[in-house]
Amino acid sequence: MNSVYKIVIPFLFFIQYLGLGAIAQIVLILFIAIELLRGTKFYLSDADKFLFFGVSAIFIFKTLHVSLAVNIHLFRFYWGFSLFYLFFIIIKYKFNFLFFFWITAIISIAEGILLNTIMPMGIMKNIPNGHIEMLMEESNLGYIKRAYGLASSPTSSATIMVMLLTCIYTFQREEFKNYFIIITAGALVAFGSGTGFFLFFIFLFVKYELYKGFKFILGVLAIIASVFFVLNQDINEGGILQRLSANYFDTLIELKSTQITEAWSKINESVYNTIFGGSYETIYDTRVMSDFGWIDFFECYGFIGIPIFVSFLLLKKRFFIFPIMIMIVGYFHYPAIGS
């Protein structure tokens, strides 16, 4: 089966390009069942047990106030990664970050080029249907079309791209090459994501240690130059870097302030909602794929969801690992790990 897994896992990584992302966890459950029936031996740390027990308990409690369809929908988005994590533990899967970095970068850059040349947006299954009309309007205004990537969201895909670069640098340092930085920049241009560029800058700041000695001056100058650049950009002028503009950030701050108020109002309806998150009648009411990952998580799983997630990272001694920190910061915009 291992040879099958080596083919299927990369395929699942990019399955959203076929518009079939929803089946990924179904395939994983099938594989997990096969391995358990085969009697495969595996080890769970205390942190792992905490995660799986906590997620199971949340799932059970959510069934008391939402339908099974809604519960599964929320679980798939916010906790679906735990199925991959469990599967990787069972089969002792070694994730080759370099391999996934290359195929992610190549496909993302190719998507950006094709969308702006010969590829009709309507045939791209990774672009949500609700976004096609908006993108067409932007295209008519002369805006460059952004790649949506493997996460069906430019920002989430850009976050994953930077995370892969960071993972190579952290876990496969002997294979890291400086030109990977240029490759990543090319993919980020295709995504046109302000968050992606911000996370990319964090990577460069840490990689080149711009907080030490004489380099600190260079770091400060880089920050000043970045702020100056942002202040002189205008999102209304369009272009690849339109989301690196002061008025766009002002809009984001205002939007996120409103979202915090809305989320608190949703979970403040009852004690249950405060602890376990909002009650939703249909999957269309749920808060997923929004542009504020942490507040989305908070609304859907209340005061218990995020603490379980963060506690797992702390127990696993992974919270302050560089790639995880990139993800945590990125989660303040679109929820990449849920995508």
Side-chain angles (χ1 to χ4, degrees):
M1 289 293 292
N2 284 341
S3 59
V4 174
Y5 298 150
K6 288 180 181 179
I7 297 173
V8 174
I9 294 302
F11 175 72
L12 292 180
F13 201 67
F14 296 94
I15 197 173
Q16 191 58 33
Y17 276 102
L18 300 177
L20 300 173
I23 73 168
Q25 284 93 355
I26 297 175
V27 173
L28 261 293
I29 291 173
L30 175 63
F31 285 164
I32 290 171
I34 290 173
E35 291 302 318
L36 293 178
L37 290 173
R38 291 175 62 190
T40 304
K41 304 295 183 182
F42 60 96
Y43 169 76
L44 294 179
S45 68
D46 290 339
D48 299 334
K49 294 173 184 176
F50 173 82
L51 173 67
F52 296 129
F53 175 80
V55 171
S56 299
I58 287 177
F59 186 84
I60 293 171
F61 279 106
K62 288 293 281 188
T63 59
L64 301 176
H65 286 264
V66 299
S67 68
L68 181 61
V70 169
N71 202 9
I72 292 175
H73 180 69
L74 290 173
F75 173 86
R76 188 178 69 82
F77 190 80
Y78 289 102
W79 302 106
F81 75 89
S82 64
L83 293 176
F84 281 88
Y85 179 61
L86 175 60
F87 180 62
F88 290 164
I89 289 175
I90 293 173
I91 68 168
K92 300 177 177 61
Y93 186 81
K94 182 174 175 57
F95 203 94
N96 188 332
F97 297 106
L98 182 59
F99 170 72
F100 283 95
F101 169 84
W102 273 113
I103 56 177
T104 301
I106 291 171
I107 292 177
S108 301
I109 293 173
E111 180 189 348
I113 293 173
L114 291 172
L115 280 175
N116 287 282
T117 52
I118 62 174
M119 183 76 75
M121 286 182 291
I123 70 173
M124 297 298 293
K125 300 300 183 182
N126 64 316
I127 301 179
N129 291 331
H131 289 218
I132 297 294
E133 184 176 343
M134 176 189 69
L135 292 173
M136 289 298 296
E137 291 178 358
E138 290 184 352
S139 178
N140 293 334
L141 294 173
Y143 288 8
I144 294 175
K145 303 185 190 82
R146 299 196 294 164
Y148 269 61
L150 59 91
S152 287
S153 160
T155 298
S156 293
S157 296
T159 300
I160 293 171
M161 189 73 240
V162 177
M163 284 178 64
L164 287 169
L165 175 71
T166 309
C167 284
I168 300 172
Y169 181 73
T170 304
F171 302 118
Q172 297 175 219
R173 182 73 62 89
E174 70 283 354
E175 298 178 84
F176 184 90
K177 307 296 182 185
N178 284 329
Y179 67 81
F180 292 169
I181 295 173
I182 299 174
I183 300 297
T184 303
L188 294 180
V189 168
F191 292 130
S193 166
T195 299
F197 283 110
F198 177 72
L199 298 175
F200 184 58
F201 178 79
I202 292 177
F203 170 80
L204 296 178
F205 196 84
V206 173
K207 198 269 183 190
Y208 290 106
E209 298 181 336
L210 299 181
Y211 48 85
K212 290 184 177 180
F214 177 74
K215 292 181 180 179
F216 178 73
I217 299 177
L218 296 177
V220 171
L221 291 176
I223 293 174
I224 293 174
S226 299
V227 171
F228 180 80
F229 176 83
V230 168
L231 291 176
N232 284 275
Q233 294 298 303
D234 187 342
I235 190 173
N236 298 314
E237 295 178 357
I240 285 290
L241 302 180
Q242 60 178 312
R243 284 169 173 76
L244 288 176
S245 58
N247 53 351
Y248 178 63
F249 288 131
D250 288 340
T251 301
L252 279 182
I253 292 172
E254 182 178 346
L255 172 62
K256 292 182 186 298
S257 298
T258 301
Q259 289 174 326
I260 291 172
T261 302
E262 291 175 349
W264 175 248
S265 175
K266 181 72 176 179
I267 71 166
N268 198 34
E269 293 176 354
S270 68
V271 174
Y272 167 84
N273 286 8
T274 303
I275 298 174
F276 295 104
S279 299
Y280 305 97
E281 294 184 3
T282 70
I283 62 174
Y284 303 105
D285 300 325
T286 58
R287 193 181 185 113
V288 298
M289 290 293 285
S290 181
D291 59 357
F292 195 164
W294 288 118
I295 203 64
D296 298 347
F297 201 166
F298 179 63
E299 179 182 307
C300 292
Y301 284 101
F303 277 98
I304 197 166
I306 294 177
I308 285 180
F309 180 67
V310 173
S311 296
F312 164 69
L313 294 177
L314 290 172
L315 290 171
K316 199 70 178 174
K317 297 181 174 61
R318 288 290 183 271
F319 188 88
F320 295 105
I321 298 295
F322 194 16
I324 298 297
M325 293 304 299
I326 288 291
M327 182 273 294
I328 288 172
V329 174
Y331 226 59
F332 280 97
H333 205 20
Y334 285 82
I337 195 172
S339 303

